[in-house]
Amino acid sequence: YRRGDIKRLFAYSSIEHMGIITFAFGMGGPLANFAGLLHMAMHSLTKSAIFFTVGHIAQARGTQRISTICGLTTTHPALGWGLVAGVLAGQRRSLAKSITLIESTREDHQIRAQQVLNALLPSTGNAIRIGMSGVPGAGKSTFIEALGMWLIKQGHKLAVLAVDPSSSVSGGSILGDKTRMEQLSMREEAFIRPSPSSGSLGGVAEKTREAMLLCEASGYDVIIVETVGVGQSETTVAGMVDIFCLLQLPNAGDDLQAIKKGIVEIADLVVINKADIDPRAAAVTAAQWKNALGMLRPTSPNWQPPVIALSALHHDGIEKFWEAIEKYRTALVPTGEFAERRRHQAQAWMWSLIDSGLRRAFHANPTVLANLPAIKQAVADARQTPASAARQLLGAFINASVGTTLAQ
């Protein structure tokens, strides 16, 4: 075998017991794919299968044992479990395919995606999650590349989830953030995934939270979420990361602009980028922001958001920025606030998924679909108010759902 391929493979199959047990010991690479294909092939000979994969994966920072993965089903489990093993092994292709799976809107894909996420959940939570937001042109991608290259030199592995705006006319998205990170995208220690916003509000994509968990399970210890260019009201990203960084430009508003509510008051760290263009203007802007933040109530009683002026283009101030990140974690972890924030975010995520699930169920309900055309026309002709129409459709949905539950 070539170096890096499977070292040993022992397989035992027992058709009499209608089961298959496969043990594979290897070095990542084809391990998960081979075992998955073997499982799928043998699955055709049995009514059910039990599939185990146990391996030792050599990683850059040590050796990590893959958790035992067990799937018991009668329908093609190998695809999902193969992805799980690949993600745990640090395979970039498996990670990319897993993110594509969770972003799919197909019902069967969503079922498999939840199986993958549930299996990987014990391996998540070990990364620092950083949100990057700011107005268009603030230099978010340039700053992330400069920061990423510096972090790699310090021994970190970096995953960047870049959200690109989708057209409200065509629905398409350029997904061009990765092209701005040319050097970072060529590093094995970095994983960059651009995703379309697809109409989701708040500057992030609908499945950004799930994508973060997949990256953590794959061994990346720094996760950066880059939002679309935002204004003052796009604050969703702050509810899914550990620290929220707001990028600003010199001469981009005065003290009054800085103290406006919204995205400013939830920032944990403010960065004045492109300070090299006009150092004096950058210093004035930084002073204005410090004064303004002093008038706002901080998001944590244990942390006062600092303001850092830097130049991502010239890699000036990157180390100072990371020192602020470390100080933030040092201030919040001992008090338990860091862990509490993540618990609160997980619960908020659950309610968000409930809301989106109810919305999908509403649009797919046969009773709603039958009544919707006539009610839409009545609203368009001003024969019925939108509030009355919404109440009527919601009532039809609730009655149909209750009737279906009672029938079952």
Side-chain angles (χ1 to χ4, degrees), residues 130-145:
I130 305 172
M132 295 281 184
S133 191
V135 297
K140 295 185 292 294
S141 297
T142 303
F143 174 63
I144 290 174
E145 181 177 47

Side-chain angles (χ1 to χ4, degrees), residues 322-336:
W322 190 250
E323 287 177 358
I325 298 289
E326 294 290 356
K327 289 179 180 178
Y328 175 85
R329 186 155 48 176
T330 302
L332 269 64
V333 170
T335 64

Side-chain angles (χ1 to χ4, degrees), residues 132 139-154 224 247 269 271-274 308-326:
M132 295 281 184
K140 295 185 292 294
S141 297
T142 303
F143 174 63
I144 290 174
E145 181 177 47
L147 175 63
M149 297 298 292
W150 185 85
L151 287 173
I152 289 174
K153 292 180 181 178
Q154 311 307 312
I224 296 180
L247 269 69
L269 178 61
V271 173
I272 310 299
N273 194 18
K274 303 185 181 181
I308 301 174
L310 53 79
S311 172
L313 183 63
H314 297 289
H315 295 202
D316 182 24
I318 302 299
E319 185 174 354
K320 187 176 181 181
F321 170 84
W322 190 250
E323 287 177 358
I325 298 289
E326 294 290 356

Side-chain angles (χ1 to χ4, degrees), residues 255-407:
D255 306 61
L256 181 61
Q257 189 73 25
I259 63 175
K260 286 185 177 180
K261 305 298 183 182
I263 196 171
V264 175
E265 61 182 346
I266 61 171
D268 299 304
L269 178 61
V270 176
V271 173
I272 310 299
N273 194 18
K274 303 185 181 181
D276 56 299
I277 298 177
D278 190 342
R280 183 177 179 277
V284 171
T285 303
Q288 290 175 341
W289 273 91
K290 289 178 181 178
N291 294 333
L293 291 172
M295 291 184 262
L296 296 175
R297 179 181 299 176
T299 57
S300 168
N302 302 303
W303 179 254
Q304 179 63 36
V307 180
I308 301 174
L310 53 79
S311 172
L313 183 63
H314 297 289
H315 295 202
D316 182 24
I318 302 299
E319 185 174 354
K320 187 176 181 181
F321 170 84
W322 190 250
E323 287 177 358
I325 298 289
E326 294 290 356
K327 289 179 180 178
Y328 175 85
R329 186 155 48 176
T330 302
L332 269 64
V333 170
T335 64
E337 187 177 349
F338 193 89
E340 179 60 29
R341 185 170 184 172
R342 285 196 172 185
R343 285 192 290 267
H344 177 75
Q345 290 175 351
Q347 293 176 348
W349 179 7
M350 178 192 71
W351 285 111
S352 176
L353 293 176
I354 291 174
D355 291 339
S356 60
L358 287 173
R359 193 180 303 110
R360 286 194 297 269
F362 175 83
H363 287 290
N365 186 272
T367 303
V368 172
L369 293 176
N371 289 279
L372 188 58
I375 296 178
K376 284 175 60 179
Q377 190 61 47
V379 173
D381 296 339
R383 292 183 285 107
Q384 189 174 6
T385 65
S388 173
R391 190 177 298 110
Q392 182 178 348
L393 287 172
L394 286 173
F397 171 68
I398 294 172
N399 291 334
S401 300
V402 172
T404 302
T405 303
L406 292 177

Side-chain angles (χ1 to χ4, degrees), residues 164-165 172-177:
D164 210 45
S173 183
I174 297 177
L175 301 179
D177 290 298

